[in-house]
Amino acid sequence: MGSPYDEAVPVAHDRGLTSPTAAAAPATIGELLAWRAVHDAGRTFVVVDGRRVAFDELDHLATDVAAGLYAWGIRPGDRVAVAAPNGFEWLGLLFGTARLGAALVTLNPRYRAQELRTMLNQSGARLLLCPATTAEFDFATFLAGFRSEIPTVERFVFLGSPADGGSMPGAATFDELVDAGAATIGLTATGTPAPADPAVILYTSGTTGTPRGAVLTHLSLLASARAQVAHLGWDEHTSTVGALPLNHVGGLTCGILSLLVAGGTVVLLPGFSPIAVLDAIAEHRTTVLAGVPTMFVMLLQALGAHRVDTGSLRQVIVGGSILDPSLARQVAATWPDTELINLYGLSESSGAAVLSARGDDLDTVTRSIGVVIGDFEGRVVDETGSEVRPGTVGELQLRGACVAAGYWDMAEESAEAFLPGGWLATGDMVEAEADGHLVVRGRKKELYIQGGFNVYPAEVEAVLGTHPSVALTAGFGVPDPVYGEVGAYVVVARPGSDVGPDELRAWCGERLADYKVPRHIELVDEVPLTPAGKVAKAELRRRFTAGSEDRRS
């Protein structure tokens, strides 16, 4: 795919560098892709939708997308949103916005009205890329009636044929966006993004249930990716299956950007399917497999009946939630010739910040999330912010170039997490061992992680509370053998009302992503309270767990 816009949207195509991981390496995402396009022209970077996409082809696409966005009025600093499955177009928009200097707002395609309204309006996104339809949802029809509630969105770019969403004002297809760039002559130069400029806005809910857009810069994203690559020893021979969603740092930074830094290859899947992942490993002889614990539970189950050759794997990386010791032993037994590695990171650290040390044995991997990587710093502090001695439980705080630039347009929330001196308060309670390994002891925050997705009870409680029959609700995470944790919610109904768990689950399903819908709902007459008058969730969790054990006995 040719492009006349290398000068219209300037990039540093060649700085004469010997390695993109060197200190003087390309400082922005667009520059790094351009570096690869020159030094690795013709070599496959991504295998997607049955086609091989080389570094230089993706570089040309990025420039055309950047030019198309500019032709449609998008300027550096504007926000552009995507709510789509992993795919070629997703990558085109990622690298196109990075080249232009716009920020990409990464949304889960499973989001529905409440989430889309909140995040698109809060970010001020001017364009949204999404499928016209999926097997589960008709985006085009929904958005035609919803657009008045998201007034900043001026253009809707649909994946599909030109007819999909074509009758909607402001609607176009991805191909038309690319063509708009390829047809524009004499585009005015827009300047090169700076390393500290926002590249991605990724929403993560707080303990209040209010979504917060973590501002990930070119600098922070590449810092995390480079530290991961250096720690794991990745190079151009490294390849992985990209089954984690690109709207999360697990798929975006730990996958795409890390392999861009390494010069390796990503076999990109639209989403996770155990059979598809196993077949991709066997066909492409990939060397790295990364995922959340739930994915590995499903993969091990699938391997029992779907026996394919996965002997090419050299590293198995588990992140997103605590690795259960029994699952770790199963993974190690299934792939005995691989390194088993824990990965810890969060949206606010732009990706990985802690990894198992190279050479850690199975006992260490199951006990510890690993050590702080690269030149990042970690400390464990008490409630006063004072650093505690090794062996003492406290909150983990991180510092380094990987730390995000705060939350988009939320000064108060930013001040709570992004502390003076450059420290990031993770909210996770850990114990540091003498050699630097970190052991997770619990969460300061109330979130639970279901199948690798963060769920904050306050957000779900707020939706349940809008049901006319609900007087009060309280939620928390409980253990689950497949998903790691799932949501359990107790509900106090309004006097005289008649409502059941199925109706409440359906209510949530219409307003929230499916992984946030409560798995367990229990109607109660009252809930225990603390002396301060707050719901005693610890007591509720204890009662629920005890009741579950009684029901199993």
Side-chain angles (χ1 to χ4, degrees):
M1 184 181 297
S3 172
Y5 306 112
D6 292 338
E7 296 305 320
V9 185
V11 293
H13 279 285
D14 186 0
R15 295 184 174 186
L17 303 176
T18 58
S19 168
T21 58
T28 67
I29 294 169
E31 288 179 351
L32 178 56
L33 178 60
W35 191 97
R36 284 288 175 205
V38 171
H39 291 76
D40 295 299
R43 193 156 63 77
T44 298
F45 173 40
V46 179
V47 181
V48 58
D49 300 329
R51 62 182 291 194
R52 293 182 172 272
V53 182
F55 287 103
D56 51 327
E57 181 181 357
L58 188 58
D59 181 65
H60 289 317
L61 174 66
T63 300
D64 282 340
V65 170
L69 291 171
Y70 191 88
W72 285 358
I74 304 299
R75 295 292 180 264
D78 284 346
R79 277 76 63 206
V80 171
V82 56
N86 298 351
F88 178 74
E89 297 88 352
W90 210 109
L91 295 178
L93 196 63
L94 166 67
F95 290 107
T97 52
R99 178 146 299 164
L100 177 62
L104 184 63
V105 181
T106 62
L107 306 178
N108 192 321
R110 295 153 79 176
Y111 286 161
R112 295 299 179 256
Q114 177 166 308
E115 296 133 327
L116 292 173
R117 181 190 302 109
T118 298
M119 297 173 189
L120 290 171
N121 288 337
Q122 201 277 332
S123 65
R126 297 186 58 200
L127 180 148
L128 171 64
L129 172 77
C130 64
T133 60
T134 68
E136 300 81 21
F137 196 60
D138 185 337
F139 273 96
T141 300
F142 166 74
L143 289 170
F146 188 68
R147 62 180 309 166
S148 63
E149 300 192 41
I150 46 174
T152 66
V153 182
E154 302 163 6
R155 285 189 175 267
F156 300 85
V157 179
F158 291 109
L159 305 180
S161 68
D164 292 333
S167 60
M168 181 176 166
T173 67
F174 182 79
D175 288 342
E176 289 173 328
L177 170 62
V178 175
D179 290 343
T184 303
I185 303 299
L187 184 65
T188 302
T190 61
T192 302
D197 286 346
V200 168
I201 297 176
L202 194 156
Y203 277 88
T204 178
S205 296
T207 55
T208 63
T210 303
R212 301 170 299 178
V215 180
L216 313 185
T217 66
H218 293 260
L219 173 66
S220 69
L221 287 163
L222 292 181
S224 176
R226 284 175 170 135
Q228 177 179 322
V229 168
H231 184 84
L232 298 177
W234 288 2
D235 58 20
E236 68 272 17
H237 303 295
T238 303
S239 57
T240 189
V241 178
L244 289 166
L246 294 179
N247 59 67
H248 188 274
V249 290
L252 176 62
T253 315
C254 304
I256 292 294
L257 295 180
S258 291
L259 270 295
L260 178 63
V261 168
T265 304
V266 181
V267 181
L268 188 64
L269 302 181
F272 175 71
S273 159
I275 300 301
V277 169
L278 294 172
D279 286 344
I281 296 169
E283 178 183 354
H284 299 281
R285 310 301 296 161
T286 54
T287 62
V288 174
L289 177 60
V292 299
T294 302
M295 293 168 61
F296 284 97
V297 171
M298 296 179 177
L299 286 167
L300 293 175
Q301 291 173 344
L303 269 174
H306 190 71
R307 297 186 179 277
V308 294
D309 181 7
T310 58
S312 60
L313 293 176
R314 294 293 173 262
Q315 291 177 334
V316 173
I317 303 172
V318 185
S321 128
I322 302 301
L323 176 59
D324 181 80
S326 63
L327 177 59
R329 289 191 290 270
Q330 292 179 62
V331 171
T334 302
W335 292 291
D337 297 325
T338 67
E339 284 185 277
L340 178 59
I341 297 166
N342 259 320
L343 183 152
Y344 171 90
L346 51 162
S347 301
E348 291 88 343
S349 68
S350 307
V354 176
L355 287 164
S356 296
R358 303 298 298 277
D360 275 354
D361 59 22
L362 183 59
D363 288 341
T364 304
V365 172
T366 56
R367 185 186 72 253
S368 161
I369 57 173
V371 297
V372 178
I373 62 174
D375 60 0
F376 307 153
E377 299 174 75
R379 68 180 184 183
V380 182
V381 302
D382 60 20
E383 293 183 355
T384 69
S386 300
E387 193 164 356
V388 300
R389 294 179 178 180
T392 304
V393 176
E395 182 185 17
L396 174 63
Q397 296 184 352
L398 298 168
R399 181 165 68 178
C402 65
V403 174
Y407 299 119
W408 181 262
D409 199 24
M410 300 182 80
E412 183 176 342
E413 290 81 356
S414 295
E416 293 176 357
F418 300 90
L419 308 178
W423 290 101
L424 167 67
T426 68
D428 289 311
M429 306 302 287
V430 305
E431 175 185 329
E433 298 181 333
D435 63 357
H437 280 77
L438 300 171
V439 180
V440 173
R441 296 304 187 193
R443 294 193 189 96
K444 188 176 180 180
K445 302 175 183 178
E446 290 184 345
L447 76 90
Y448 58 91
I449 302 175
Q450 178 171 315
F453 291 101
N454 289 358
V455 183
Y456 291 82
E459 182 183 14
V460 183
E461 290 165 356
V463 171
L464 282 168
T466 64
H467 191 285
S469 296
V470 171
L472 185 149
T473 183
F476 43 87
V478 296
D480 183 85
V482 174
Y483 292 98
E485 294 174 293
V486 296
Y489 291 76
V490 295
V491 173
V492 177
R494 294 185 183 278
S497 64
D498 182 17
V499 65
D502 290 343
E503 181 180 343
L504 293 175
R505 274 190 286 269
W507 180 269
C508 292
E510 294 171 1
R511 293 162 174 80
L512 295 170
D514 54 4
Y515 62 86
K516 299 178 184 177
V517 175
R519 290 300 180 100
H520 306 286
I521 294 180
E522 185 174 347
L523 276 295
V524 298
D525 294 328
E526 59 182 10
V527 296
L529 301 176
T530 68
K534 296 181 179 180
V535 176
K537 287 193 176 183
E539 174 64 13
L540 282 174
R541 187 182 293 106
R542 187 194 65 76
R543 292 181 186 180
F544 184 92
T545 302
S548 298
E549 292 174 352
D550 291 341
R551 288 189 288 272
R552 288 195 297 268
S553 61

